[in-house]
Amino acid sequence: MKKGVSFLVAVALMALASSLASASDPSPLQDTCVAIDEPKNAGISLVTNDLITIFINLSIDGGFILFCKNPNLTMAEDFFYQGLNIPGNTANRVGSNVTTVNVDAIPGLNTLGISLVRIDYAPYGQNPPHTHPRATEILTVLEGTLLVGFVTSNPQNRLISKVLNKGDVFVFPIGLIHFQFNIGHSNAVAIAALSSQNPGVITIANAVFGSNPPINPDFLATAFQLDKKVVEFLQARF
């Protein structure tokens, strides 16, 4: 039985590897694929001739293999999240907080290709320049006034920017560096949907100046046309 499970899992992983040639989330193979990280929790059942039934629509999330929960065992809680009405703590250096509702928060999002975030901004707080490698983002302002924008790829590097007020909507294309800045005197709140169950985020300053291990400061000094001491100061900040 163990050999049968191992064989089926291996076949599933091979199928998954071929599907990963595409940059998008996996397409659903059944109505639901509630994410679980252990095949033993998938409702594996022994049937005739020692064959094993495994519910699979495998995906890789943050480096982890996600299997499907037996659809007959799914429940409302697998598709539910509570607390998005609660403001995030913006008492930090950038003055913002992102509350993420992805497949880690709602296992039922697995293979559905969508997730959600709530972003809270203190006055003059910002969601600093960052990119989502696996998702397009569509943002709606619920409260306040935001300056938002994204930068196109080389060689144009055009800044596409707009001031948004309550009820306004803006789209950030997949993979492009973008930002939001609260230009109002009061708190601001936005909700954004992203076209992946796990869009990922790369904050530019953190990645460049806070990498582990650090990038050689001589290299960064040349890349950014800065004095090496300035680079070392920035690396110490991150």
Side-chain angles (χ1 to χ4, degrees):
M1 179 175 176
K2 289 183 179 179
K3 289 184 178 179
V5 173
S6 299
F7 173 75
L8 287 176
V9 170
V11 170
L13 292 177
M14 290 173 64
L16 173 62
S18 64
S19 71
L20 289 179
S22 169
S24 61
D25 286 6
S27 298
L29 297 178
Q30 56 263 329
D31 290 343
T32 65
C33 179
V34 175
I36 54 175
D37 57 8
E38 289 288 345
K40 66 182 180 182
N41 298 326
I44 297 173
S45 58
L46 182 64
V47 295
T48 58
N49 298 323
D50 291 331
L51 294 178
I52 307 300
T53 300
I54 304 179
F55 298 96
I56 56 172
N57 195 147
L58 289 176
S59 62
I60 292 184
D61 179 74
F64 296 96
I65 302 297
L66 299 179
F67 295 84
C68 297
K69 186 177 185 179
N70 185 332
N72 296 324
L73 302 179
T74 59
M75 56 190 70
E77 284 72 17
D78 295 325
F79 305 90
F80 175 76
Y81 177 87
Q82 190 173 39
L84 207 60
N85 61 309
I86 301 172
N89 182 5
T90 59
N92 52 58
R93 289 182 178 178
V94 296
S96 70
N97 182 280
V98 179
T99 302
T100 303
V101 185
N102 59 14
V103 69
D104 295 326
I106 304 181
L109 283 176
N110 190 35
T111 77
L112 299 185
I114 194 169
S115 58
L116 189 74
V117 297
R118 169 185 171 137
I119 314 170
D120 291 275
Y121 313 82
Y124 307 110
Q126 64 175 280
N127 190 9
H130 62 281
T131 179
H132 302 292
R134 295 180 290 276
T136 291
E137 176 180 350
I138 183 168
L139 177 141
T140 304
V141 178
L142 301 184
E143 297 290 343
T145 302
L146 297 178
L147 171 65
V148 306
F150 63 86
V151 179
T152 64
S153 56
N154 298 350
Q156 289 85 8
N157 298 132
R158 291 184 59 216
L159 172 63
I160 310 295
S161 184
K162 183 79 173 173
V163 173
L164 305 182
N165 295 297
K166 183 176 180 178
D168 290 344
V169 178
F170 198 81
V171 173
F172 304 106
I174 184 171
L176 297 186
I177 295 173
H178 59 282
F179 62 88
Q180 303 106 38
F181 176 55
N182 181 7
I183 59 175
H185 301 288
S186 59
N187 293 334
V189 182
I191 293 286
L194 299 108
S195 61
S196 172
Q197 67 183 45
N198 182 29
V201 60
I202 302 170
T203 304
I204 306 306
N206 296 57
V208 173
F209 297 109
S211 66
N212 183 23
I215 299 173
N216 187 313
D218 291 309
F219 171 73
L220 291 180
T222 301
F224 286 92
Q225 297 295 286
L226 295 172
D227 186 274
K228 180 180 176 181
K229 291 183 179 180
V230 174
V231 171
E232 291 173 337
F233 170 79
L234 290 171
Q235 288 179 318
R237 296 281 291 178
F238 289 93

